[in-house]
């Protein structure tokens, strides 16, 4: 066998070592699943084998789960249900054969076991795990729009009970070894070097080859769905599921169905039920989009797939950050976490010190929670040097400018910093809206001037948007990507435009919320339906989060830049009155569309009705769906315009950037996956109807009309391309 090695000791215990060649981590490929059957047959048929222990030959972990890249080819089964079921049931069939082989099998879990990897261990009769709090045991399939397809929905609930298992199935939460022991998911937690021996000892002394659910006296912990206590779990669970997912995620609903139906039948019927729901979920556009974007594309971009070839790797060791406000302070922190020496510059020493204080607060919190040692925290902070002296920029490999969104201020600090830079260094502007080509006019080295747009809070947000100016070189792009990867962020690359890609598309979400407000919809309706689309917050809430005064300042700068081309919208006056007249800047000063009391939850500002009178206080199901469509399609059609204008060229970057950057509804897989899932023709038809009713902002670009005529998708038309010069 290619993936498994079997060694039988003098006691007749077969040590089965799982070790997929050429990979740093074991995954359940098609060849692995086939070979599990050979392993089972060997254990069953070899009379010298009394029992078996399965462990991993990798130091990185036991098994990371199914190979999602292979699952991407599931479309081929769409027309043949039997072939689809047989393929989908293969893993369940293999694990069930292991479980019912007639000989005791123990799992020696020496590292993380996720998804199908954990399901493999659950199919063993006994589980021993290494005593290491870093080990994760989880079924994370729901996070990418799937459900466990190797018996996880059935075995975990039979071990833990439905209520206890729910967060691990529906949310993909992880267990640490001690937690798993408490839940009776594993039987022993022992030192890492004793895992295999402990498993062998059980096989030799107590080995029981029958799973609990195959015994006549088995009872589901907490009761099944047919008991008084168990039925309440499903009644409450369905209500909570609806509240949390708004019906957007078929995986979670299908998990509940698989558990509910599976617990009422014998185990062999239960895993067939699970497989049917697994396939139903896998074939959904939500699963296809989420697997592609949140797993495959995210991994590819996280490895620098968009980096220009032929440029030597650039190891960034020292970076100067200009501006020690919240954004600059956050950038300094993530750089120090990556081991980069950081010069944090502001107008005064006091302001620079305050910026370092942000990192000190994060370190203190991490140390207090046991996530970081004091020694490591001190070493991180020692890398941040706050100063007001631009001479300290000297020797930097990169400068990240993070001052106010004001072209004159940015030009001034650009000149000061560049005077200290070597020819090989890169200058990056952390602007969210101002075109890079315009900012580069203040630079004496525009080929090395690039946009490096972070998202707030920097320590939590995983995306960095890299913006190419008209003169930015491919070398500058490659060096910037190397920097972003070093600080453990995911880069996407876009070409120059006002608002670039993320700010431009995100802006349409909050603007459409303002359009709805101008149309007379009650603010509560707007935000409640906004959350129901799958966005992290409603558009008015989110507007408060990003700051109303910032939106106002950007609008004023845009108006100044565009002159007669600037389009005044009805909601513009509302924002102006809130900012200039009422001093309402958003969450940051406790006053925006909402009031934010120090003690208690936020509440809608009562004065808003004076600025935007409510004419629509109730909506029916049709009205709700129309608001949902307006909010989602407005963002998606803007993303399509970005493709037509060449602002973004890779569907992967568009989808990953949308979800990581501004929280675009993850269940869609991103705005481009949303359009592809709906179909270009259907999307164009819907947008034309919206444009006729609400205005030209919904009009589809010619690119979409062409794609609709040809039956194309974004992923088929554009795909992943080699990076070319802007």
């Amino acid at each position: 066998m290619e993936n498994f090695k079997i060694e039988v000791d003098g006691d007749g215990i077969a040590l089965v070592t799982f070790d997929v060649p050429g990979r740093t981590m074991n995954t359940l490929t098609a060849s692995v699943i086939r070979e599990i059957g050979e392993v089972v047959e060997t254990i069953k048929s070899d009379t010298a084998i009394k029992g078996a222990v399965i462990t991993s030959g990798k130091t990185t972990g036991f098994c990371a789960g199914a190979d999602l890249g292979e699952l991407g080819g599931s479309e081929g089964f769409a027309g043949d249900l039997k072939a689809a079921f047989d393929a989908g049931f293969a893993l369940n069939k293999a694990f069930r054969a292991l479980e019912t082989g007639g000989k005791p099998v123990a799992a020696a879990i020496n590292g993380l076991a996720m998804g199908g990897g954990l399901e493999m261990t659950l199919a063993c009769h006994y589980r021993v795990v290494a005593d290491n709090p870093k080990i994760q045991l989880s079924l994370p399939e729901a996070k990418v729009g799937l459900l466990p397809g190797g018996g996880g929905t059935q075995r975990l609930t039979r071990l833990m009970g439905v209520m206890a298992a729910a967060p691990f199935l529906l949310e993909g939460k992880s267990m640490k070894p001690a937690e798993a022991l408490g839940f009776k998911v594993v039987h022993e937690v022992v030192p890492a070097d004793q895992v295999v021996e402990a498993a062998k000892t059980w096989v030799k002394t107590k080995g029981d080859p029958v799973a609990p659910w195959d015994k006549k006296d088995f009872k589901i912990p907490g009761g099944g769905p047919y008991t008084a206590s168990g039925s309440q779990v499903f009644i409450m669970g369905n209500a909570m599921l609806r509240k949390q997912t708004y019906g957007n995620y078929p995986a979670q609903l299908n998990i509940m169905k698989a558990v509910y139906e599976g617990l009422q039948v014998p185990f062999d019927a239960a895993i067939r039920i699970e497989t049917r729901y697994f396939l139903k979920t896998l074939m959904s556009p939500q699963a296809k989009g989420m697997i592609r974007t949140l797993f495959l594309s995210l991994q590819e971009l996280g490895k620098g797939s968009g980096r220009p070839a032929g440029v030597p790797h650039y190891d960034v060791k020292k970076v100067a950050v200009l501006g020690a406000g919240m954004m600059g302070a956050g950038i300094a922190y993530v750089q120090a976490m990556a081991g980069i020496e950081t010069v944090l510059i502001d107008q005064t020493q006091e302001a620079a010190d305050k910026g370092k204080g942000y990192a000190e607060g994060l370190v203190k919190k991490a140390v207090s929670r046991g996530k970081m040692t004091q020694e490591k925290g001190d070493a991180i902070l020692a890398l941040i040097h706050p100063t007001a002296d631009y001479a300290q920029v000297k020797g930097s490999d990169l400068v990240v400018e993070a001052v106010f969104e004001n072209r004159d201020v940015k030009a001034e600090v650009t000149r000061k910093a560049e005077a200290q830079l070597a020819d090989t260094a890169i200058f990056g502007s952390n602007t969210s809206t101002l075109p890079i080509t315009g900012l580069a006019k203040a630079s004496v080295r525009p080929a090395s001037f690039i946009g490096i747009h972070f998202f707030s809070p920097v320590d939590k947000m995983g995306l960095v948007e890299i913006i190419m100016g008209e003169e930015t070189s491919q070398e500058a792009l490659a060096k910037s990507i190397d920097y972003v990867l070093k600080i453990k962020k995911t880069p996407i690359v876009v070409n120059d435009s006002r608002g670039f890609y993320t700010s431009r598309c995100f802006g349409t979400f909050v603007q459409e919320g303002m359009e709805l407000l101008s149309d007379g919809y009650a603010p509560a309706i707007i935000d409640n339906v906004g959350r129901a689309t799958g966005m992290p917050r409603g558009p008015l809430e989110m507007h408060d989060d990003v700051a109303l005064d910032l939106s106002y300042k950007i609008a004023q700068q845009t108006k100044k830049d565009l002159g007669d081309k600037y389009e005044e919208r009805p909601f513009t006056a509302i924002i102006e009155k809130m900012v200039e007249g009422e001093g309402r800047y958003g969450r940051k000063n406790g006053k925006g569309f909402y009031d934010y009391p120090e003690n208690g939850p936020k509440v809608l500002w009562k004065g808003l009705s004076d600025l935007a009178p409510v004419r629509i206080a109730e909506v029916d199901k049709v009205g709700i769906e129309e608001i949902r469509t307006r909010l989602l399609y407005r963002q998606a059609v803007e993303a399509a315009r970005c493709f037509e204008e060449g602002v973004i060229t890779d569907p992967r970057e568009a989808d990953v950037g949308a979800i990581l950057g501004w929280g675009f509804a993850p269940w869609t897989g991103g705005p481009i996956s949303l359009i592809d899932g709906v179909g270009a023709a259907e999307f164009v038809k819907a947008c034309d109807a919206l444009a006729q009713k609400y205005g030209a902002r919904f009009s589809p670009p010619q690119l979409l009309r062409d794609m609709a005529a040809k039956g194309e998708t974004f992923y088929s038309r554009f795909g992943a391309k080699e990076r070319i010069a802007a």
Side-chain angles (χ1 to χ4, degrees):
M1 289 180 286
E2 182 183 7
N3 304 289
F4 294 93
K5 180 175 68 173
I6 301 177
E7 300 170 288
V8 183
D9 66 15
D11 295 315
I13 311 301
L15 179 63
V16 181
T17 303
F18 182 18
D19 196 351
V20 179
R23 300 198 180 193
T24 56
M25 177 65 74
N26 288 328
T27 56
L28 296 173
T29 62
S31 69
V32 168
I33 295 170
R34 285 194 300 271
E35 287 184 7
I36 291 173
E38 295 181 41
V39 170
V40 172
E41 187 57 37
T42 299
I43 294 170
K44 284 174 62 177
S45 62
D46 191 336
T47 56
I49 295 176
K50 309 302 181 187
V53 170
I54 300 177
T55 193
S56 168
K58 307 287 188 189
T59 57
T60 50
F62 185 84
C63 177
D67 188 320
L68 292 183
E70 290 187 356
L71 286 179
S74 60
E75 293 89 342
F77 296 118
D80 189 337
L81 293 180
K82 185 178 185 305
F85 181 84
D86 289 345
F89 192 63
L91 189 60
N92 252 326
K93 183 178 180 181
F95 289 164
R96 186 58 172 160
L98 181 69
E99 188 172 57
T100 58
K103 294 179 182 178
V105 181
I109 308 169
N110 57 340
L112 67 82
M114 302 173 69
L118 180 59
E119 288 175 303
M120 178 189 288
T121 71
L122 295 179
C124 297
H125 307 104
Y126 197 77
R127 288 165 291 284
V128 182
V129 64
D131 187 7
N132 182 347
K134 292 184 178 180
I135 288 178
Q136 296 181 48
L137 307 175
S138 69
L139 297 173
E141 286 85 351
K143 293 182 178 181
V144 290
L146 287 175
L147 59 79
T153 65
Q154 304 306 313
R155 290 189 178 91
L156 200 66
T157 47
R158 283 167 170 80
L159 286 169
M160 301 174 64
V162 177
M163 182 179 290
F168 300 99
L169 291 170
L170 298 172
E171 301 170 31
K173 287 183 63 177
S174 294
M175 303 179 205
K176 293 181 179 179
E179 190 178 8
L181 183 65
F183 281 126
K184 299 182 179 178
V185 173
V186 301
H187 301 86
E188 284 188 73
V189 177
V190 302
D193 59 354
Q194 298 176 26
V195 173
V196 171
E197 194 55 43
K200 282 187 173 185
T201 298
W202 176 83
V203 173
K204 285 187 288 186
T205 61
K206 301 177 182 178
D208 182 355
V210 183
W213 34 88
D214 289 326
K215 296 179 180 179
K216 291 183 178 180
D217 61 349
F218 175 72
K219 292 183 180 180
I220 299 166
Y226 40 78
T227 65
S229 58
S231 63
Q232 289 298 312
V233 173
F234 284 96
I235 292 170
M236 295 300 295
N238 285 333
M240 291 176 66
L241 186 64
R242 183 69 192 182
K243 179 183 177 182
Q244 292 173 357
T245 69
Y246 297 99
N248 292 324
Y249 295 87
Q252 278 75 1
L253 180 59
N254 288 339
I255 287 170
M256 289 286 283
K257 289 179 177 179
V259 171
Y260 180 78
E261 296 174 24
L263 290 181
Q264 299 183 64
V265 298
F267 195 84
D268 287 299
I271 55 176
R272 289 197 296 272
I273 288 170
E274 180 190 78
T275 294
R276 292 189 185 104
Y277 279 116
F278 171 78
L279 290 168
K280 182 179 181 180
T281 307
L282 179 63
M283 299 297 181
S284 70
Q286 292 92 332
K288 291 175 183 176
M290 290 177 74
I291 290 171
R292 179 171 58 200
T293 300
L294 298 177
F295 186 79
L296 301 176
S297 296
L298 190 57
Q299 277 198 343
E300 291 164 5
L301 296 177
K303 294 176 182 176
S305 64
R307 186 185 190 279
V311 180
H313 175 73
Y314 190 60
D315 187 11
V316 176
K317 296 178 179 178
K318 179 181 178 180
V319 176
V321 178
L322 313 183
M326 186 164 180
M327 184 65 79
I331 296 169
Y333 173 73
V334 298
Q335 288 177 176
M337 285 287 288
I340 297 173
E341 181 185 354
T342 298
V343 177
L344 183 59
I345 298 181
D346 213 302
Q347 290 179 303
T348 65
Q349 185 66 46
E350 181 183 9
D353 289 338
K354 184 179 178 181
K356 182 172 180 176
Y358 178 76
E360 290 169 344
L362 292 176
V363 166
K364 184 178 180 180
K365 183 185 293 186
V367 171
S368 68
R369 294 180 177 179
K371 295 182 177 181
M372 182 186 297
T373 65
Q374 186 62 58
E375 184 180 25
K376 182 179 179 182
D378 291 342
I380 289 168
L381 294 174
L383 288 170
I384 302 175
H385 310 292
T387 183
D389 183 7
Y390 273 78
Q392 299 299 313
V393 172
K394 193 175 184 65
S396 295
D397 302 303
L398 171 75
V399 168
V400 178
E401 169 269 299
V403 300
F404 298 118
E405 288 288 276
N406 179 288
R407 189 172 281 106
D408 294 333
V409 175
K410 289 181 181 290
E412 180 185 355
V413 300
T414 298
R415 287 189 286 268
K416 285 183 179 180
E418 281 193 340
Q420 305 294 331
L421 287 180
D423 293 340
T424 55
I426 302 301
F427 190 100
S429 176
N430 175 57
T431 177
S432 58
T433 56
L434 299 177
I436 292 300
T437 302
L439 295 179
K441 290 179 180 178
S443 171
V444 295
R445 45 216 295 284
S448 297
F449 194 101
I450 196 166
I452 302 179
H453 176 208
F454 287 85
F455 297 79
S456 185
V458 179
D459 55 292
K460 293 181 180 177
M461 300 294 281
L463 186 77
V464 174
E465 183 180 35
I466 299 176
I467 307 106
M468 299 287 286
E470 288 181 6
E471 296 186 58
T472 305
S473 69
Q474 292 293 290
E475 180 182 351
L477 172 58
K479 289 179 175 180
S480 299
I481 289 177
D482 289 341
Y483 160 70
V484 173
L485 296 179
K486 184 165 183 175
I487 60 173
K488 296 180 171 57
K489 303 290 184 185
T490 300
I492 65 168
V493 182
V494 305
N495 292 317
D496 207 6
S497 164
R498 184 170 297 277
F500 318 124
Y501 171 67
T502 56
S503 296
R504 175 175 165 178
C505 293
F506 164 69
T508 65
F509 176 63
V510 295
Q511 288 164 18
E512 196 60 30
M514 293 298 297
E515 296 280 2
L516 288 161
L517 191 67
S518 302
D519 290 345
Y521 283 94
I525 291 175
I526 298 169
D527 273 353
N528 285 336
V529 178
R531 287 190 295 273
T533 66
M535 295 292 290
R537 286 184 175 82
L540 304 182
E541 293 175 301
M542 205 170 272
H543 208 160
D544 271 359
D545 288 347
V546 299
L548 304 186
D549 63 323
L550 177 61
S551 285
Y552 178 64
K553 289 174 184 175
I554 290 172
Q556 294 303 303
Q557 182 70 57
T558 304
K559 184 176 182 179
K560 180 180 176 182
D561 291 348
L562 297 183
D564 294 340
K565 294 181 180 179
Y566 180 75
E567 182 184 5
E568 198 87 32
R569 298 299 303 164
F571 62 78
T572 307
I574 297 175
I575 291 293
E576 183 174 356
K577 289 175 183 177
M578 290 182 72
V579 173
E580 294 287 356
E582 302 288 341
R584 303 189 72 86
Y585 303 153
R587 184 184 286 271
K588 70 179 184 180
N589 78 331
K591 299 185 298 181
F593 292 107
Y594 292 80
D595 285 320
Y596 298 87
E598 288 187 13
N599 299 311
K602 67 179 184 288
V603 291
L604 278 163
W605 175 45
K606 292 181 180 179
L608 185 56
S609 59
D610 296 330
L611 299 181
V614 175
R615 297 188 297 276
I616 306 171
E618 294 183 11
V619 287
D620 58 14
K621 190 174 181 179
V622 174
I624 290 172
E625 189 56 37
E626 181 160 292
I627 295 172
R628 275 172 55 99
T629 303
R630 282 178 65 175
L631 291 171
L632 286 177
Y633 280 33
R634 179 65 187 89
Q635 297 174 77
V637 77
E638 196 67 29
R641 289 192 186 108
C642 287
F643 266 92
E644 183 174 69
E645 296 169 23
V647 175
I648 196 161
T649 59
D650 188 330
R652 300 173 305 169
E653 293 181 317
D655 279 340
V656 169
I659 293 176
L660 294 189
W662 76 88
F664 188 84
W667 62 269
T668 64
I672 298 306
S673 285
L674 171 64
I675 296 172
D676 281 359
V678 171
E682 193 63 33
F683 186 81
V684 165
K685 180 181 177 182
C687 284
D688 279 337
L690 288 169
Q692 187 173 7
K693 193 171 182 180
Y694 297 110
R697 64 186 183 276
F698 285 104
S699 294
Q702 187 60 44
L703 169 66
L704 267 180
R705 297 189 189 280
D706 293 343
M707 289 171 58
K710 297 176 182 177
E712 293 178 327
T713 67
F714 277 97
Y715 277 87
S716 66
R717 178 171 178 136
F718 293 94
K721 297 180 179 179
E722 184 179 344
R723 183 75 57 207
I724 59 173

